[in-house]
Amino acid sequence: MTNETEVVEEQKATQLPKPQGWKILCALPEVEDKFSGTDLLKPESITKIEEHSTTVLFVISLGPDAYKDSAKFPNGAWCKEGDFVLVRAYSGTRFKIHGREFRLLNDDQVEAVVEDPRGYTRA
């Protein structure tokens, strides 16, 4: 018999949209709930601002036409599934599923690939 929690989590996973065209589906990394180097909790208003204005995203999937334009992308794709990427703050179409925010970006909105997203903050 399957655990009810596992079934609910499986159903949540199937609700992710499949990016179309040149779109890229990204998730937001978890925002730290404490100030760096302390045990002080951040107010919810600050964590919301950090979440909404984040510049680092995790690439979940690419649309079928992402990076296919060889004239625009002569050196190939700028990122792949599983990469952390640097984008402009507030980039893309923002939406939430079960309280978790995701973004749909155009393929040319990726500005860099980031090896380790920890420590990056918006300036």
Side-chain angles (χ1 to χ4, degrees):
M1 183 169 176
T2 0
N3 183 336
E4 280 185 39
T5 306
E6 290 175 17
V7 172
V8 170
E9 290 304 315
E10 280 182 35
Q11 290 171 343
K12 285 182 183 180
T14 62
Q15 290 182 330
L16 287 176
K18 183 177 178 182
Q20 299 298 307
W22 58 85
K23 299 293 185 179
I24 301 172
L25 177 64
C26 297
L28 278 69
E30 294 286 326
V31 174
E32 295 291 327
D33 63 346
K34 295 180 181 177
F35 288 104
S36 182
T38 72
D39 287 330
L40 296 173
L41 288 174
K42 293 178 185 175
E44 188 175 334
S45 60
I46 290 177
T47 57
K48 289 290 182 201
I49 290 169
E50 288 179 2
E51 180 180 273
H52 292 214
S53 66
T54 188
T55 56
V56 177
L57 302 173
F58 178 76
V59 177
I60 296 174
S61 61
L62 304 172
D65 299 325
Y67 302 115
K68 297 292 191 228
D69 184 342
S70 59
K72 191 173 186 178
F73 305 106
N75 297 317
W78 293 355
C79 68
K80 64 185 180 315
E81 293 176 6
D83 282 345
F84 286 97
V85 293
L86 190 64
V87 299
R88 291 178 180 241
Y90 306 104
S91 289
T93 302
R94 296 175 41 223
F95 61 96
K96 286 189 175 188
I97 300 175
H98 299 287
R100 180 87 194 250
E101 186 169 330
F102 296 88
R103 307 265 175 97
L104 276 170
L105 302 172
N106 293 336
D107 55 5
D108 63 358
Q109 288 182 290
V110 170
E111 297 190 2
V113 173
V114 176
E115 188 70 30
D116 183 351
R118 293 175 291 195
Y120 281 81
T121 58
R122 199 181 107 200

